[in-house]
Amino acid sequence: MNMNTNKHIDVALELLKESPLKVTNQRNDIIRILFKNGNCHFTAEDVHCEVQKLGLNISLATVYNCLNQFTKHKILKSVKTSCDKIYFDTNVTSHHHFFCKTTSQLIDIDSKNIKFSKLPKIPGGKKLQSVEVVVNITD
Amino acid sequence: MNMNTNKHIDVALELLKESPLKVTNQRNDIIRILFKNGNCHFTAEDVHCEVQKLGLNISLATVYNCLNQFTKHKILKSVKTSCDKIYFDTNVTSHHHFFCKTTSQLIDIDSKNIKFSKLPKIPGGKKLQSVEVVVNITD
DNA sequence: ATCGTAAATTAGAATTATTCTAATTTAATG
DNA sequence: CATTAAATTAGAATAATTCTAATTTACGAT
Ligand SMILES: [Mn+2]
Ligand SMILES: [Mn+2]
Ligand SMILES: [Zn+2]
Ligand SMILES: [Zn+2]
């Protein structure tokens, strides 16, 4: 059972408080939904469905606003896959993903389980931002 | 100057003939546009703009149909990036990409310039389909 | 060459995820 | 409590892509 305190939720709420974002009921509720099960991947619709299931009245626009603001302020990060929806990731540390094309499910790959022995030279005048590995799998 | 023969175009036209797809004027024209400059990355809109520029009358729906059919039959492949459009790639061999977020431009990374010294175990019951690396860069 | 038919093309409508608009409400500060 | 910038909201708008259904075309068989 969920105890009344949850480390992941508390850490995220603390990040929210430390950010320049205002602490609203909607943001509190959304953070509780997102972080209640530790590292997870969600679409905006997933979050909105959960909001409804809990009987909360938060508009889809607010869900999008929150997810985007949280991403901008490093409380979440976003992941693009070969499917057409944006996934939001509660794990903001540097890591990679399996993407199962059958189930449209993202699975974390810990950074220590992917190592490069060779990386290409960055094109002249550009600077490196991130290296993203997606290992596509099927059933 | 472009000679009247072009290796890349000829190879792609040959793949089209060998495929179960019918050889139509539209497919011929689109292949000539796609492959005239060797390895390239295009959105459907890019292709349709070029179609218009050449005074060809091919509908956007047909451009999408062709690109999707070509992808299904391995004449093209598609690449997803952090931007919201699908890119089609004339290089169907296994390789990776730089994606410049400033210019929304894809640049090929030859397979031999990325090597892994460690890859994660595939989750039970699933099978590996592909490993895609995107190196995000900015100006 | 002509025919028959499945596949391809097309214009425009529909869909889907996401963002925008502009009116209203709220959080946080003094 | 008053002020005000930020957040929320419903609904409209946008943008990429797909779908629909009518028409045309490719191409193997006659
Ligand atoms: Mn849902
Ligand atoms: Mn264009
Ligand atoms: Zn993740
Ligand atoms: Zn490429």
Side-chain angles (χ1 to χ4, degrees):
Chain A
M1 288 294 125
N2 274 346
M3 298 301 103
N4 201 16
T5 77
N6 175 314
K7 191 84 165 293
H8 295 108
I9 292 175
D10 293 344
V11 169
L13 287 175
E14 190 56 32
L15 287 175
L16 174 58
K17 277 191 210 114
E18 284 162 7
S19 81
L21 301 175
K22 291 189 174 171
V23 178
T24 63
N25 290 335
Q26 290 91 334
R27 286 174 176 166
N28 249 292
D29 290 339
I30 288 173
I31 282 188
R32 284 168 201 286
I33 288 170
L34 292 168
F35 288 88
K36 73 176 157 208
N37 294 315
N39 288 343
C40 277
H41 308 95
F42 295 94
T43 66
E45 268 304 302
D46 290 338
V47 175
H48 193 238
C49 285
E50 186 70 13
V51 160
Q52 316 249 57
K53 202 177 298 168
L54 297 174
L56 300 169
N57 277 97
I58 304 178
S59 73
L60 182 57
T62 296
V63 170
Y64 272 102
N65 289 341
C66 287
L67 294 176
N68 287 330
Q69 291 288 74
F70 291 173
T71 301
K72 172 153 34 166
H73 294 284
K74 308 282 201 300
I75 298 169
L76 291 179
K77 75 175 185 181
S78 73
V79 182
K80 285 276 173 72
T81 68
S82 58
C83 104
D84 52 356
K85 295 171 196 161
I86 298 171
Y87 284 82
F88 293 88
D89 191 340
T90 59
N91 180 355
V92 294
T93 70
S94 171
H95 66 284
H96 302 289
H97 294 95
F98 289 111
F99 181 66
C100 179
K101 290 189 170 180
T102 312
T103 62
S104 287
Q105 192 192 185
L106 278 173
I107 303 170
D108 275 349
I109 299 173
D110 195 291
S111 253
K112 71 172 188 294
N113 290 324
I114 290 199
K115 288 282 174 252
F116 296 95
S117 52
K118 181 165 196 178
L119 278 170
K121 188 184 308 164
I122 306 303
K126 310 273 182 181
K127 47 189 212 290
L128 177 64
Q129 213 206 38
S130 62
V131 179
E132 298 187 7
V133 181
V134 176
V135 179
N136 290 119
I137 56 181
T138 53
D139 275 347
Chain B
M1 287 295 126
N2 274 345
M3 298 300 104
N4 200 16
T5 77
N6 175 313
K7 189 84 166 295
H8 294 108
I9 291 175
D10 293 345
V11 169
L13 288 175
E14 190 56 32
L15 287 175
L16 174 58
K17 278 192 207 112
E18 283 162 9
S19 82
L21 300 175
K22 292 189 175 173
V23 178
T24 63
N25 291 334
Q26 290 90 336
R27 285 175 178 167
N28 250 292
D29 290 339
I30 288 174
I31 282 188
R32 284 169 200 286
I33 287 170
L34 292 168
F35 287 89
K36 72 176 160 210
N37 295 315
N39 288 343
C40 276
H41 308 95
F42 296 94
T43 66
E45 267 306 302
D46 291 338
V47 175
H48 193 238
C49 286
E50 186 69 13
V51 159
Q52 316 248 57
K53 201 178 298 170
L54 296 174
L56 300 168
N57 276 98
I58 304 177
S59 73
L60 181 59
T62 295
V63 170
Y64 272 103
N65 289 341
C66 286
L67 295 175
N68 287 331
Q69 291 288 76
F70 291 172
T71 301
K72 174 155 32 168
H73 291 93
K74 308 284 199 307
I75 298 168
L76 291 178
K77 76 175 186 182
S78 74
V79 182
K80 285 275 174 69
T81 68
S82 58
C83 102
D84 53 356
K85 296 172 195 161
I86 298 172
Y87 285 84
F88 293 88
D89 191 339
T90 60
N91 181 355
V92 293
T93 70
S94 173
H95 66 285
H96 302 290
H97 296 94
F98 289 111
F99 181 66
C100 178
K101 290 188 170 182
T102 313
T103 62
S104 286
Q105 193 192 185
L106 276 174
I107 303 170
D108 275 347
I109 300 173
D110 195 292
S111 251
K112 70 172 188 293
N113 290 324
I114 291 199
K115 288 283 174 252
F116 295 95
S117 52
K118 181 164 196 178
L119 277 170
K121 188 184 308 163
I122 306 303
K126 311 272 182 182
K127 46 191 214 290
L128 178 65
Q129 214 205 36
S130 63
V131 179
E132 298 186 9
V133 181
V134 176
V135 179
N136 290 118
I137 56 182
T138 53
D139 274 348

